[in-house]
């Protein structure tokens, strides 16, 4: 297993639209294992393959208290279940140190493929529903910062640009 580098905003690679997975084989399962290791190490509750520069439609999530409920979604498709919306403060491993309010669908149905290549459906609400929508956005090249004001986005970009310059000087990236 391996801990992968996480791309950070405004890295243009985060804007890539991911391709569907054609076959769930050992290559895909190794990527999933590495994504879980990277997510738990961060630590985070959700990670999309896009964030580790893999442009395939794979998401790992664990919203449980004790990090004991790993969920993987391959080629996820979201269906809206009712019109209810919910606003939650979100973070993102690709936008470290920033937390912003985002309004999303409260209740959704997710259809996806699991690590054995089997199709499944999961009804989601609460944090899990928010997290799945956040991660599917990543697969479409979309980020949490796209939902906030241009001024806030500009400030976040400037702060992260500074952080990345400092890290480059220190040889971290
Ligand atoms: C997406 O995000 C999410 O800024 C997953 O310094 C988050 O795991 C969906 C993290 C909240 C819904 C609600 C963020 C770790 C982790 C940071 C994450 C940080 C360290 C974010
Ligand atoms: Co994110």
């Amino acid at each position: 297993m391996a801990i992968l580098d996480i791309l950070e905003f405004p890295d243009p690679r985060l804007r890539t639209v991911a391709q569907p997975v054609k076959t769930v084989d050992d290559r895909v399962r190794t990527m999933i294992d590495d994504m879980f290791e990277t997510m738990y190490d961060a630590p985070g509750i959700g990670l999309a393959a896009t964030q580790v520069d893999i442009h395939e439609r794979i998401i790992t999530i664990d919203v449980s208290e004790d990090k004991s409920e790993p969920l993987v979604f391959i080629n996820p498709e979201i269906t809206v279940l009712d019109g209810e919306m919910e606003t939650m403060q979100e973070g993102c491993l690709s936008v470290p140190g920033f937390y912003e309010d985002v309004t999303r669908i409260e209740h959704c149905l997710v259809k996806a493929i699991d690590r054995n290549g089997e199709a499944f459906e999961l009804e989601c609400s609460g944090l899990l529903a928010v997290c799945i929508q956040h991660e599917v956005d990543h697969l479409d090249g979309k980020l949490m910062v796209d939902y906030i004001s241009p001024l806030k986005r500009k400030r976040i970009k400037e702060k992260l640009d500074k952080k990345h310059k400092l890290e480059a000087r220190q040889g971290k990236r």
Side-chain angles (χ1 to χ4, degrees), residues 105-118:
I105 292 138
E106 229 273 348
H107 198 194
C108 62
L109 178 71
V110 184
K111 293 182 191 189
I113 298 169
D114 69 16
R115 62 180 295 136
N116 300 312
E118 313 258 12

Side-chain angles (χ1 to χ4, degrees), residues 120-139:
F120 70 99
E121 289 186 7
L122 190 66
E123 255 191 65
C124 306
S125 57
L127 182 59
L128 179 58
V130 172
C131 199
I132 288 199
Q133 291 169 72
H134 175 116
E135 304 309 335
V136 171
D137 271 358
H138 277 301
L139 301 181

Side-chain angles (χ1 to χ4, degrees), residues 31-63:
M31 293 193 314
I32 291 168
D33 291 340
D34 290 346
M35 284 175 64
F36 273 116
E37 197 179 4
T38 305
M39 181 182 84
Y40 286 129
D41 174 73
I45 59 169
L47 186 72
T50 309
Q51 292 176 276
V52 289
D53 207 17
I54 296 171
H55 302 286
E56 299 183 48
R57 304 189 78 85
I58 306 168
I59 289 170
T60 56
I61 289 181
D62 191 338
V63 293

